[in-house]
Amino acid sequence: MGADSSSRETRPSSYAPLKDVHHYSERDSSEESHHDHHHSTHSEEQEAGDEEEAQLLVESDVEEFELEELSPRRRRRHHHHHRTPSRNPLVRLFSFLSGPRSGRPRIQTITPCFPSLQSLPSRCIGRWFPSPRAKSILLSIYLCAWAVSFTVPLLRGKGLAYAPSGGVVRHVDCVDTLWTHGHDPGCGVDGSLCRPFANASFAFRCPASCAGVRVLNPYHVGPDDINYQSLVIGGPVYRGDSFLCGSAIHAGVISDGEGGCGRVDLVGEYYSYFGSLRNGISSITVDTYFPLSFTVTKEGGLCGGDPRWRLLTVSVLFTAGLGICTTSPAVLYWVVFVGVFVHVGLVSDPPNLSGPSDVILPELLSIMVGRLLPAMFVAGILYWTVVRRTLDCGDGGGETAAGVEKTVLWVGAFWVGALNNYTFDNIIPLARLTTHDLSTQPGAKLALSVIVLVLFCIICQQVYLFWLEGRLARYLGVYGLFVLGILACVSLTGVGLEVRLHHYVLALLLLPGTSIQTRSSLLYQGLLLGLFVNGIARWGFDPVLQTAAALRGDGGYYETELLPEVLAPLIYLQEPLSQISFKWGGLPEGAVGGIGIAGISVLVNDVERYRSYFSEKGLRLEEDMLTWTRNATALTTPEYFRFAYINKDGHTLDYTQAGTWFVNGSWSHGPGYYR
């Protein structure tokens, strides 16, 4: 048999009785020939002509029999296909969308490669466990073995851990830092909310795969703004706002593949952090001081590494074994869906959580179960409307099973989509589908163009296959409803909402187009289901409509009108103290809309040192002033100043780019410092 998908034409329900009609006609013709003694000596040419005439008669009888057996509705449909084509363009369009002109849909089916070999596992199970009860017991034992093999390493890697020096090890995430920045107060003025700065230490545990974690919004580091790179500053003494796990990998305390435990020691204020490339992480250099710094060292004890790669091997082997052996689409679908969901939610891409190690696993289980239940409801709808038709390829067992092909194409693609944080996130340079990311992230526009082109080709292929099966018009109606829903969401953007198409939403929109039995559809469907599982297990059912603030997160407003107008500073050079004074201009009329400006925030070396609400002082904005004093004889590094408005809710808006007060007392501002 061929390896490619084949198609078959649907036949009327009266196909089996047609054989009887055929034999009956042959029998009648035979009896007539026996009773006709006058033509017994005819030549072979005459007999051949009689047989041909009889065959034409049979075909005519069969056609009449088919028409008689058809229901009135199907008979009208039959005559419809033989009518003269209509001149109405809408009717002709609908007739074209209904499928090929023959009127008989060409149903796509998969003809397995080496069917006897692919069906061998299912036939062996059917022979050794013939009854449904025996098969159910075997499946239960199989799932229990999977659960035990999964749970034991999970408890060791994410369960309770004690430090050798005493106390519970603290679990930290890849993006955790000791110093908090952002548009909220963060560590507060002078870092008062992030104390102590020195003479403190604790044991921590990091997950695997933290080396590739990057900042996705511009982040202030001295005179520069970094983006799309790891936030590790300095080494072996690291600035307090560095990623803790990234710093531990850079220092060689833990590995990126296994994660592990370490100890952090707070060493207080430090001057001039020097960058270097170590263990795959390039740290950042900054030539000024910061109030909080730390070092990391190894931590022994019973703290195990992250078991995600060992557990991935276990889960992949068990799902592959099930795909090869089972002949039930429902069993394969539900076991793989739930198993992969649990794996993503607990191991490969869990939500960001930090805290004592004795509470992390219970919290992960709580979040995972809370997201799994509604996801299973959606999964049930997907199975009955989309998946069942695609997976039902040779599942009657015997010589028609295609278990190996389903395992490689569908289950394999399912894992590729579910491991999105290791597959597409590392390949496609497009972190988020936003205007800012498209304009600033290198390669984002090219990546989006390639994705659109690939999707267009796949859609054209699937449209043709649906047309062959005569189901194109129906599915175009479904996608018409999808388009109306998206347009309805877009229409709400005028009331302060914005549309966010998460990748789980894109998967749901594209999945109906895979409800066809071809090898390519197996691949596409598994991939989309994996993306759906990854999106829900990692982020939950995030809303499609979000406010601008929720969509922005810790990102900026990226509008120059929201930057304060800083006037040229006044500098007083004295010994031992020197001073620099700043004032700002008034608010431009209509520049800030309804945000409501209430004050000014000032960063000095990326630490908020001044937060003034001029309305409380009874002053206008242009009457407020900051005077900064430093010890001119002791300071050996420059200082970097940034300014931002504070809105009426107490959140800081975008900061200006850095202006520099050098050690010699001179002042310089970089591009973008002034509005």
Side-chain angles (χ1 to χ4, degrees):
M1 296 184 180
D4 296 331
S5 301
S6 62
S7 62
R8 65 176 184 267
E9 293 188 355
T10 57
R11 303 182 183 273
S13 59
S14 57
Y15 176 74
L18 293 181
K19 297 180 180 179
D20 298 334
V21 175
H22 181 72
H23 295 318
Y24 177 81
S25 299
E26 288 183 344
R27 185 170 62 251
D28 289 347
S29 62
S30 176
E31 290 175 359
E32 290 175 1
S33 64
H34 279 294
H35 288 290
D36 193 354
H37 297 285
H38 296 285
H39 299 281
S40 59
T41 60
H42 281 186
S43 63
E44 294 181 359
E45 290 80 0
Q46 182 64 32
E47 291 178 358
D50 293 341
E51 291 179 359
E52 182 178 359
E53 184 177 354
Q55 181 64 29
L56 292 174
L57 178 61
V58 169
E59 293 179 356
S60 176
D61 292 341
V62 169
E63 185 176 356
E64 291 181 5
F65 184 83
E66 286 181 344
L67 292 177
E68 291 175 358
E69 287 293 309
L70 292 177
S71 64
R73 180 179 178 182
R74 296 183 63 186
R75 192 180 305 168
R76 287 194 301 269
R77 187 183 304 172
H78 176 84
H79 287 296
H80 171 74
H81 288 295
H82 293 81
R83 285 203 303 255
T84 303
S86 173
R87 295 184 179 181
N88 189 322
L90 293 179
V91 175
R92 296 179 65 181
L93 176 62
F94 182 79
S95 177
F96 171 76
L97 295 177
S98 299
R101 290 186 177 180
S102 64
R104 290 185 174 181
R106 294 165 56 184
I107 304 301
Q108 304 299 303
T109 58
I110 292 178
T111 303
C113 302
F114 308 104
S116 59
L117 182 61
Q118 293 197 54
S119 64
L120 180 61
S122 60
R123 285 187 285 117
C124 291
I125 291 177
R127 186 180 303 114
W128 297 335
F129 303 92
S131 66
R133 184 171 181 271
K135 290 185 174 68
S136 299
I137 294 175
L138 177 63
L139 178 62
S140 300
I141 295 174
Y142 189 82
L143 296 179
C144 288
W146 183 6
V148 172
S149 304
F150 187 87
T151 303
V152 173
L154 180 66
L155 291 175
R156 176 170 173 77
K158 290 186 177 291
L160 175 63
Y162 290 99
S165 57
V168 176
V169 174
R170 182 176 182 83
H171 180 87
V172 297
D173 199 74
C174 293
V175 296
D176 283 346
T177 64
L178 302 177
W179 186 280
T180 305
H181 280 300
H183 293 276
D184 292 326
C187 284
V189 178
D190 298 327
S192 58
L193 302 179
C194 294
R195 292 182 179 273
F197 296 156
N199 301 322
S201 65
F202 62 89
F204 64 91
R205 179 175 65 196
C206 287
S209 305
C210 287
V213 176
R214 306 157 297 167
V215 292
L216 300 179
N217 292 305
Y219 189 88
H220 309 312
V221 180
D224 303 316
D225 289 332
I226 67 166
N227 203 3
Y228 306 115
Q229 68 180 94
S230 180
L231 182 59
V232 177
I233 305 171
V237 178
Y238 299 93
R239 206 170 86 162
D241 55 347
S242 301
F243 289 155
L244 183 54
C245 293
S247 301
I249 295 172
H250 182 267
V253 172
I254 64 174
S255 67
D256 183 52
E258 290 286 334
C261 295
R263 175 166 291 277
V264 59
D265 295 286
L266 307 185
V267 297
E269 189 173 73
Y270 199 77
Y271 288 78
S272 297
Y273 302 86
F274 298 99
S276 60
L277 176 60
R278 296 182 59 188
N279 300 313
I281 295 181
S282 179
S283 63
I284 303 167
T285 298
V286 60
D287 59 345
T288 189
Y289 61 89
F290 199 81
L292 172 60
S293 306
F294 65 89
T295 60
V296 286
T297 55
K298 290 184 178 294
E299 180 76 5
L302 299 177
C303 180
D306 193 328
R308 66 179 58 192
W309 299 115
R310 296 189 297 274
L311 291 178
L312 178 61
T313 302
V314 170
S315 297
V316 168
L317 289 177
F318 272 92
T319 52
L322 182 71
I324 293 173
C325 296
T326 187
T327 60
S328 170
V331 170
L332 177 63
Y333 175 76
W334 285 110
V335 172
V336 171
F337 184 91
V338 175
V340 175
F341 195 102
V342 171
H343 183 92
V344 174
L346 296 181
V347 180
S348 66
D349 198 10
N352 294 336
L353 287 179
S354 302
S357 58
D358 58 339
V359 302
I360 292 299
L361 191 54
E363 289 185 9
L364 284 176
L365 284 169
S366 175
I367 295 173
M368 186 272 296
V369 173
R371 294 173 177 176
L372 175 60
L373 294 180
M376 289 182 66
F377 175 78
V378 178
I381 298 175
L382 291 175
Y383 177 75
W384 286 105
T385 58
V386 177
V387 178
R388 185 175 54 165
R389 177 189 292 266
T390 310
L391 281 185
D392 190 14
C393 47
D395 283 312
E399 297 291 336
T400 62
V404 176
E405 293 182 71
K406 283 191 298 185
T407 300
V408 173
L409 296 174
W410 191 83
V411 178
F414 203 125
W415 276 110
V416 171
L419 298 174
N420 177 57
N421 52 320
Y422 291 103
T423 53
F424 298 111
D425 275 359
N426 289 334
I427 298 174
I428 301 174
L430 183 59
R432 296 163 304 189
L433 194 59
T434 62
T435 304
H436 179 261
D437 281 15
L438 287 174
S439 60
T440 59
Q441 189 169 3
K445 293 181 179 179
L446 177 61
L448 182 61
S449 301
V450 172
I451 291 173
V452 171
L453 179 61
V454 171
L455 282 177
F456 176 77
C457 295
I458 292 175
I459 290 172
C460 290
Q461 176 198 16
Q462 297 299 101
V463 165
Y464 175 69
L465 294 175
F466 274 97
W467 179 79
L468 288 179
E469 289 200 349
R471 296 191 292 145
L472 179 59
R474 185 191 318 164
Y475 276 78
L476 288 178
V478 172
Y479 277 97
L481 294 177
F482 289 169
V483 171
L484 289 177
I486 294 174
L487 293 177
C489 292
V490 172
S491 66
L492 297 176
T493 56
V495 296
L497 295 174
E498 297 187 22
V499 178
R500 175 75 180 274
L501 291 180
H502 307 277
H503 59 278
Y504 85 86
V505 177
L506 293 175
L508 289 177
L509 291 176
L510 296 175
L511 270 169
T514 65
S515 178
I516 200 165
Q517 194 182 117
T518 61
R519 289 179 175 84
S520 57
S521 294
L522 282 174
L523 181 69
Y524 305 150
Q525 187 177 104
L527 187 64
L528 293 173
L529 285 170
L531 289 173
F532 170 75
V533 166
N534 177 267
I536 302 304
R538 177 64 176 86
W539 305 103
F541 285 92
D542 274 2
V544 177
L545 290 173
Q546 294 180 297
T547 63
L551 192 62
R552 184 170 57 250
D554 62 348
Y557 291 84
Y558 311 118
E559 297 181 15
T560 57
E561 292 83 359
L562 300 181
L563 298 177
E565 180 186 1
V566 184
L567 305 180
L570 300 176
I571 301 175
Y572 305 93
L573 298 178
Q574 301 175 0
E575 290 189 1
L577 302 178
S578 296
Q579 292 182 336
I580 185 170
S581 298
F582 298 94
K583 297 189 69 175
W584 19 87
L587 295 174
E589 183 177 355
V592 294
I595 292 178
I597 302 303
I600 285 285
S601 171
V602 180
L603 299 182
V604 181
N605 293 340
D606 307 320
V607 178
E608 189 176 37
R609 297 294 187 177
Y610 182 76
R611 193 174 185 87
S612 172
Y613 293 91
F614 44 82
S615 57
E616 293 180 351
K617 301 178 181 180
L619 301 174
R620 292 180 302 173
L621 175 62
E622 58 270 23
E623 296 175 340
D624 196 16
M625 183 176 65
L626 163 66
T627 298
W628 178 257
T629 303
R630 73 182 185 190
N631 191 328
T633 59
L635 188 66
T636 59
T637 61
E639 293 176 308
Y640 302 102
F641 292 78
R642 298 175 185 267
F643 306 85
Y645 286 131
I646 304 173
N647 67 13
K648 58 185 177 182
D649 297 323
H651 302 303
T652 55
L653 307 183
D654 292 349
Y655 284 96
T656 64
Q657 294 193 20
T660 307
W661 193 19
F662 294 99
V663 176
N664 62 7
S666 61
W667 168 261
S668 175
H669 61 81
Y673 174 76
Y674 292 119
R675 173 163 51 80

